[in-house]
Amino acid sequence: MSLPLESVYQELILKHYRSSAHRGEVEEPSAAVAERNPLCGDDIFLTVRVREGIVEDVRFSGHGCAISQAAASMMCEHAVGKSWDEIHRVADRFRDLMHGSEEAARDRALGDMRALAGVARLPRRVKCAMLGWDALAEAEKQAAE
Ligand code: ZN
């Protein structure tokens, strides 16, 4: 599998893709969301457990390209233990990153997700990288109902 991204980043992406600590389903989910990206054939099934406004656990399953699965894994890593406000801040920064923001690419708050900065140069893959975040936004709506 080859991606037009720098090799150190590529390794990090493939690490998340091949063996994510966040694969599976949470127990007693507050929300369960299926998201599809028909442009690339990516599927994500996300389950989230929320207690008192904090995302206690979030896990994903599904299949698709390395970018979609790695980005979902990185998203889960960031969301666990956070409030929705904190998650929104990171989600907005990640969206900036996908729009090519160099400032976002230097933002340590994004952690491993900065490895996906090169995706901004591949407009058709941005949806792959956003799929997990889109699922999480939908899960937030469900959990609030
Ligand atoms: Zn994809």
Side-chain angles (χ1 to χ4, degrees):
M1 164 124 227
S2 145
L3 298 168
L5 303 171
E6 288 171 51
S7 62
V8 55
Y9 289 159
Q10 193 160 309
E11 263 172 51
L12 194 54
I13 291 165
L14 291 177
K15 190 191 87 181
H16 277 272
Y17 173 59
R18 290 187 182 129
S19 67
S20 172
H22 304 282
R23 276 207 175 262
E25 292 185 25
V26 306
E27 289 172 19
E28 300 176 57
S30 314
V33 174
E35 266 317 309
R36 260 191 72 81
N37 174 18
L39 294 174
C40 181
D42 309 316
D43 282 303
I44 299 269
F45 182 68
L46 196 75
T47 54
V48 181
R49 188 174 66 252
V50 184
R51 292 284 181 274
E52 294 172 7
I54 300 293
V55 172
E56 276 190 348
D57 201 5
V58 51
R59 292 181 172 270
F60 76 102
S61 58
H63 62 274
C65 70
I67 291 173
S68 70
Q69 305 299 303
S73 171
M74 292 171 181
M75 179 277 289
C76 291
E77 193 166 272
H78 267 260
V80 171
K82 303 264 169 59
S83 69
W84 288 118
D85 278 352
E86 290 171 302
I87 289 168
H88 294 161
R89 269 201 297 279
V90 173
D92 287 348
R93 287 306 265 167
F94 186 68
R95 198 167 285 114
D96 292 344
L97 186 72
M98 291 299 103
H99 288 123
S101 162
E102 286 179 20
E103 197 199 332
R106 285 192 300 269
D107 189 343
R108 288 173 182 275
L110 288 179
D112 283 5
M113 287 187 279
R114 288 176 298 174
L116 293 163
V119 174
R121 297 192 303 270
L122 312 165
R124 290 202 298 190
R125 311 304 295 279
V126 168
K127 176 69 186 169
C128 304
M130 291 304 303
L131 197 62
W133 289 101
D134 291 346
L136 187 62
E138 191 57 37
E140 181 185 4
K141 280 188 221 158
Q142 259 189 36
E145 278 164 9

